[in-house]
Amino acid sequence: MDIQIQWFPGHMAKARRQVQEALKLVDVAVELLDARIPLSSENPMIGQILGNKPRVIILNKSDLADPGLTKAWQKKLERDQVKVIAVDTLKGEGLKEVPKAANLLVAEQMAKLAAKGRRARAARCMVLGIPNVGKSSFINRLVGRRATKTGDLPGVTKGQQWIRLEGSLELLDTPGILWPKFEDPQVGFKLAVTGAVKEQVFDVYEVALKLLQWLVETNPEKIKERYRLTDLNPDRVGLLSDIGARRGMLVSGGAVDELKAAHLILKEFREGTLGRYTLDLPR
């Protein structure tokens, strides 16, 4: 079943123009991807905008992704002028590698400036990514203080802000940017289940059913264990109803509130309660 999902608010078009204008001010781009969906969370417009600009790719939320597949993605994505770092922002894992990688990428450029008699300065980095990939939380943890407004909803950061990381980097925070049309319905689905698009713009029930089917095919024992089910109903609608019933999600008359159960599936997947999964596989 294909699920068509599109979301491109007006402020994202404005943000794209702001990024293009600010690009000449920065030395290196720091692009955050969701480690669970490195391919689907990579905005093709960002690649077009950045061109050959040196780049540090952050595989964020690596604590929620399959560790082996995260390593495979690191190997696949790293290339000349591109460094790839797996980061768990909550625990701070991988963050110390970011300034090192950024400064390494711009070392030659800085040496040329020094040779011309220019005063030494911190490397300037632009932080980019789609909504809800964790940019603000990443910056706050990297800087070591609450430097930007954060939230768990897509599109919290509306403007651009410069943040100084003492001694080594200057960071330019930018709003999350999606692209106007998801050509592949699977991309829209993966962005929905990981929380990159607002739930108001897609059918939560249908997306949860599709996710549940994928989880059953991927790790059925985990579903049994989590929801205390002896057997898994082969019908996914029936299975969702069984899960809702086990959790006491009932309405008057004893019927199961299936929409509430659908929200539960999405929530527990996003929190990692159902396991560590990577939906995009390296090709």
Side-chain angles (χ1 to χ4, degrees):
M1 177 185 64
D2 285 340
I3 300 173
Q4 297 294 335
I5 298 169
Q6 303 293 337
W7 185 50
F8 191 70
H11 77 267
M12 289 190 188
K14 180 181 178 182
R16 179 178 59 183
R17 292 193 296 271
Q18 289 176 336
V19 168
Q20 289 173 314
E21 291 167 5
L23 192 60
K24 59 183 177 290
L25 302 175
V26 303
D27 306 306
V28 59
V30 178
E31 181 182 10
L32 269 71
L33 303 179
D34 188 321
R36 297 167 295 178
I37 51 168
L39 188 63
S40 299
S41 60
E42 183 179 26
N43 185 338
M45 290 197 315
I46 288 178
Q48 294 164 10
I49 292 169
L50 295 180
N52 295 322
K53 182 74 69 174
R55 195 182 318 187
V56 178
I57 292 177
I58 305 297
L59 294 178
N60 200 28
K61 305 185 182 182
S62 61
D63 55 310
L64 301 175
D66 180 292
L69 288 173
T70 295
K71 289 180 180 178
W73 272 111
Q74 284 182 272
K75 186 176 180 180
K76 180 174 178 61
L77 294 173
E78 191 149 310
R79 55 192 184 274
D80 185 46
Q81 292 294 289
V82 178
K83 299 294 182 183
V84 185
I85 303 169
V87 167
D88 173 358
T89 299
L90 293 178
K91 294 181 181 177
E93 293 177 0
L95 287 174
K96 290 182 179 178
E97 301 303 314
V98 177
K100 294 178 187 176
N103 282 302
L104 185 63
L105 286 170
V106 300
E108 186 177 339
Q109 179 185 343
M110 292 304 177
K112 288 179 180 177
L113 290 174
K116 293 178 181 178
R118 300 281 290 275
R119 188 175 64 181
R121 63 168 174 80
R124 294 171 181 161
C125 303
M126 176 187 289
V127 184
L128 300 148
I130 65 172
N132 218 31
V133 77
K135 292 193 308 326
S136 295
S137 296
F138 164 77
I139 290 173
N140 292 344
R141 192 65 189 259
L142 190 64
V143 174
R145 59 184 171 82
R146 190 172 177 81
T148 61
K149 183 181 179 182
T150 60
D152 59 359
L153 295 174
V156 168
T157 309
K158 292 295 193 294
Q160 293 179 316
Q161 307 174 60
W162 278 102
I163 300 108
R164 182 179 293 276
L165 180 60
E166 183 137 357
S168 58
L169 297 179
E170 287 184 353
L171 304 175
L172 177 62
D173 187 22
T174 62
I177 311 173
L178 284 174
W179 53 107
K181 185 178 182 182
F182 309 142
E183 299 293 343
D184 183 354
Q186 286 297 318
V187 170
F189 164 70
K190 292 171 185 177
L191 291 171
V193 299
T194 53
V197 294
K198 291 182 177 179
E199 292 188 354
Q200 293 92 323
V201 302
F202 64 86
D203 188 325
V204 170
Y205 179 74
E206 291 296 336
V207 167
L209 284 179
K210 185 177 175 70
L211 174 61
L212 186 58
Q213 180 66 40
W214 185 86
L215 289 168
V216 167
E217 293 170 357
T218 305
N219 194 354
E221 293 307 313
K222 183 65 178 180
I223 300 299
K224 286 182 183 178
E225 174 194 343
R226 177 63 185 165
Y227 300 114
R228 299 177 183 176
L229 299 169
T230 305
D231 298 299
L232 295 181
N233 193 322
D235 175 62
R236 59 185 178 177
V237 174
L239 177 56
L240 183 66
S241 183
D242 291 345
I243 291 170
R246 292 294 294 176
R247 287 300 180 87
M249 295 176 171
L250 306 176
V251 295
S252 58
V256 173
D257 187 336
E258 293 183 351
L259 182 58
K260 194 171 182 180
H263 278 285
L264 174 72
I265 296 295
L266 289 178
K267 178 178 181 290
E268 297 207 329
F269 174 81
R270 291 168 182 168
E271 293 174 348
T273 308
L274 298 179
R276 299 175 66 173
Y277 297 101
T278 299
L279 282 74
D280 284 340
L281 304 180
R283 294 173 182 170

